[in-house]
Amino acid sequence: MSEKKVMSAVIDDRKAYRTVQKFYEAGDLSDLGELVLKECETYYAKDLAAEYVDTESLLERLQTKYPKHAAPFAKFIETLEPVSIANIMEDYCALKMRAASELAGSYLVAGDFEKAQPYLDKFNQLQAEGLQDDNGGGDDNSNVYNDAHADRFTKSLELGNRIPMLPASLNDKLGGGLIAGSHTLIYAPPEVGKTAIAINTMYGFATAGKRVMYCGNEESAEMYLNRMLCRFTRWTLKKVLASKDRAMKIARSRGWSNLTFIHLSPGSVPEIQDYIREHKPDVCIIDQLSNVNLHRGNGKELDKVQRLEATAYAMRMFYSKTKVAGVSISQADEKAIGKLRLTIKDVYYSNVGLQGQYDVMLGIGMDDNYQRMDRRMINITKNKIGGEHGYVIVTIVREVSMLRGVGDDD
């Protein structure tokens, strides 16, 4: 990438400067570029309200400090061209992310996890920085609380502001529902019914009046939507196909219009974030997170363990910032096959870093006996939003993707 484009963005926009300054490394710029960046730093530090650097003042300062280089500075500053700051910063972050991931990957392949960790941390920081929206980011999104009244920080925890979740017995154990900005993981072994559980979860949100964005990359769009319509109508697919207009009328009466379905193949973190900005949902469901790429295009990805952790981290930061409740669907480890009582360690490609990216973790267990009875055990393996741990036993009706706890109403 041209350093003149980067420096043009730095001069024209304080936020761009902050991004570059945060991740700048020696050697990223020429000697001349480094001096310009340092002078921009002095300019912004002296006037905290400055949103851009006055180029005439910048050139005068540089030529005064470095009179022998007056001509090169003049040429550098005078030939800067206007750029799309958002696009240049996205390209800059992508460039730095690729470099960090390649270095981390080379150390991981060599088995040197200690040397890889700083680059993984840097990758995660860059990913978070790249999440900033047009309303500002970084320090501008910080919230400072001093002698704050309880009204300021308890609102999202109150029962009326929670996002109710089906089945009702699970919702009760979660203290009345999810919280805006939280991140939930639902994980289960193969053939347990992860998509049916995800669709039932979506239905609960939508029928409660919440705007839901469902991002699916496991099945075709038609398969997803037919299953969703069956859940809203509680009809089998055969019955839906025989009476489509009636099915649509029933579905719309139960919140079908609250659903936005996005078919991904397999999708990337920036792509999903763009859809969230566009559709502004209350809840985003990703089915499945392990398939999602970290960045657009064909850039080199980390191995699955590190990629899943970094993807979960990126989405967690984004949900927290945008106050969207995120629900991710993923696989359980092979050791969880045939088990009822799943633990926090039964996540596929699990490590401590992944579990740390979730406020709520729900492991779905099933053994041979439960399979015969069409039952599942929802294990609450992590719960930071209040309520209980333990488990909930449900019946699953696969034909309509429905879960119902004993004694629950749909």
Side-chain angles (χ1 to χ4, degrees), residues 4-10 12 80-88:
K4 295 193 76 170
K5 290 184 178 180
V6 174
M7 290 310 303
S8 182
V10 165
D12 286 347
L80 290 174
E81 296 181 0
V83 297
S84 170
I85 294 171
N87 284 307
I88 291 298

Short mmCIF file of all heavy atoms in Angstrom, two decimals, residues 4-10 12 80-88:
data_model
loop_
_atom_site.label_atom_id
_atom_site.label_comp_id
_atom_site.label_asym_id
_atom_site.label_seq_id
_atom_site.Cartn_x
_atom_site.Cartn_y
_atom_site.Cartn_z
N LYS A 4 1.86 7.26 0.98
CA LYS A 4 1.27 8.59 0.81
C LYS A 4 -0.24 8.54 1.02
O LYS A 4 -0.84 9.48 1.54
CB LYS A 4 1.61 9.15 -0.57
CG LYS A 4 3.10 9.41 -0.75
CD LYS A 4 3.39 10.24 -1.97
CE LYS A 4 3.06 11.70 -1.72
NZ LYS A 4 3.54 12.58 -2.80
N LYS A 5 -0.87 7.41 0.63
CA LYS A 5 -2.30 7.27 0.87
C LYS A 5 -2.58 7.15 2.37
O LYS A 5 -3.53 7.73 2.89
CB LYS A 5 -2.85 6.06 0.13
CG LYS A 5 -2.87 6.23 -1.38
CD LYS A 5 -3.51 5.02 -2.06
CE LYS A 5 -3.58 5.23 -3.57
NZ LYS A 5 -4.20 4.07 -4.25
N VAL A 6 -1.76 6.38 3.05
CA VAL A 6 -1.92 6.23 4.50
C VAL A 6 -1.72 7.56 5.19
O VAL A 6 -2.51 7.96 6.06
CB VAL A 6 -0.92 5.18 5.05
CG1 VAL A 6 -0.98 5.14 6.58
CG2 VAL A 6 -1.22 3.80 4.49
N MET A 7 -0.66 8.30 4.82
CA MET A 7 -0.38 9.57 5.46
C MET A 7 -1.44 10.61 5.12
O MET A 7 -1.74 11.50 5.93
CB MET A 7 1.01 10.06 5.06
CG MET A 7 2.15 9.24 5.64
SD MET A 7 1.98 8.99 7.44
CE MET A 7 1.91 10.67 8.02
N SER A 8 -2.01 10.55 3.93
CA SER A 8 -3.09 11.46 3.58
C SER A 8 -4.28 11.24 4.51
O SER A 8 -4.90 12.20 4.98
CB SER A 8 -3.51 11.24 2.12
OG SER A 8 -4.53 12.16 1.75
N ALA A 9 -4.58 9.97 4.80
CA ALA A 9 -5.67 9.66 5.73
C ALA A 9 -5.34 10.14 7.14
O ALA A 9 -6.18 10.70 7.84
CB ALA A 9 -5.94 8.16 5.73
N VAL A 10 -4.09 9.95 7.55
CA VAL A 10 -3.64 10.37 8.89
C VAL A 10 -3.78 11.88 9.05
O VAL A 10 -4.22 12.38 10.10
CB VAL A 10 -2.18 9.94 9.12
CG1 VAL A 10 -1.57 10.68 10.32
CG2 VAL A 10 -2.12 8.43 9.33
N ASP A 12 -5.76 13.91 7.31
CA ASP A 12 -7.13 14.37 7.14
C ASP A 12 -8.09 13.94 8.24
O ASP A 12 -9.18 14.48 8.37
CB ASP A 12 -7.69 13.86 5.80
CG ASP A 12 -7.11 14.61 4.61
OD1 ASP A 12 -6.49 15.67 4.83
OD2 ASP A 12 -7.27 14.13 3.48
N LEU A 80 0.17 15.17 -1.92
CA LEU A 80 -0.83 14.30 -1.29
C LEU A 80 -2.18 14.51 -1.97
O LEU A 80 -2.55 15.64 -2.30
CB LEU A 80 -0.96 14.62 0.21
CG LEU A 80 0.22 14.24 1.10
CD1 LEU A 80 -0.02 14.76 2.52
CD2 LEU A 80 0.41 12.73 1.14
N GLU A 81 -2.91 13.43 -2.16
CA GLU A 81 -4.22 13.52 -2.81
C GLU A 81 -5.31 13.06 -1.86
O GLU A 81 -5.06 12.25 -0.97
CB GLU A 81 -4.25 12.65 -4.08
CG GLU A 81 -3.27 13.11 -5.14
CD GLU A 81 -3.34 12.23 -6.38
OE1 GLU A 81 -4.16 11.29 -6.39
OE2 GLU A 81 -2.59 12.49 -7.33
N PRO A 82 -6.52 13.60 -2.02
CA PRO A 82 -7.63 13.16 -1.17
C PRO A 82 -7.88 11.66 -1.36
O PRO A 82 -7.76 11.13 -2.47
CB PRO A 82 -8.83 13.97 -1.69
CG PRO A 82 -8.21 15.15 -2.38
CD PRO A 82 -6.93 14.65 -2.97
N VAL A 83 -8.20 10.98 -0.27
CA VAL A 83 -8.46 9.54 -0.34
C VAL A 83 -9.75 9.22 0.41
O VAL A 83 -10.26 10.03 1.20
CB VAL A 83 -7.29 8.73 0.28
CG1 VAL A 83 -6.01 8.94 -0.49
CG2 VAL A 83 -7.11 9.11 1.76
N SER A 84 -10.29 8.04 0.16
CA SER A 84 -11.41 7.53 0.95
C SER A 84 -10.84 6.98 2.24
O SER A 84 -10.24 5.90 2.27
CB SER A 84 -12.15 6.43 0.18
OG SER A 84 -13.07 5.78 1.03
N ILE A 85 -10.99 7.74 3.32
CA ILE A 85 -10.33 7.38 4.57
C ILE A 85 -10.78 6.01 5.08
O ILE A 85 -9.96 5.19 5.50
CB ILE A 85 -10.61 8.48 5.63
CG1 ILE A 85 -9.94 9.79 5.19
CG2 ILE A 85 -10.09 8.06 7.00
CD1 ILE A 85 -10.31 10.99 6.03
N ALA A 86 -12.09 5.74 5.04
CA ALA A 86 -12.60 4.46 5.55
C ALA A 86 -11.99 3.29 4.78
O ALA A 86 -11.58 2.28 5.37
CB ALA A 86 -14.12 4.43 5.46
N ASN A 87 -11.90 3.43 3.45
CA ASN A 87 -11.36 2.34 2.64
C ASN A 87 -9.86 2.17 2.84
O ASN A 87 -9.35 1.05 2.90
CB ASN A 87 -11.67 2.58 1.16
CG ASN A 87 -13.11 2.29 0.82
OD1 ASN A 87 -13.61 1.21 1.11
ND2 ASN A 87 -13.79 3.24 0.21
N ILE A 88 -9.15 3.28 2.95
CA ILE A 88 -7.71 3.20 3.17
C ILE A 88 -7.40 2.56 4.52
O ILE A 88 -6.51 1.72 4.64
CB ILE A 88 -7.06 4.60 3.09
CG1 ILE A 88 -7.11 5.13 1.65
CG2 ILE A 88 -5.61 4.56 3.58
CD1 ILE A 88 -6.35 4.27 0.66
#
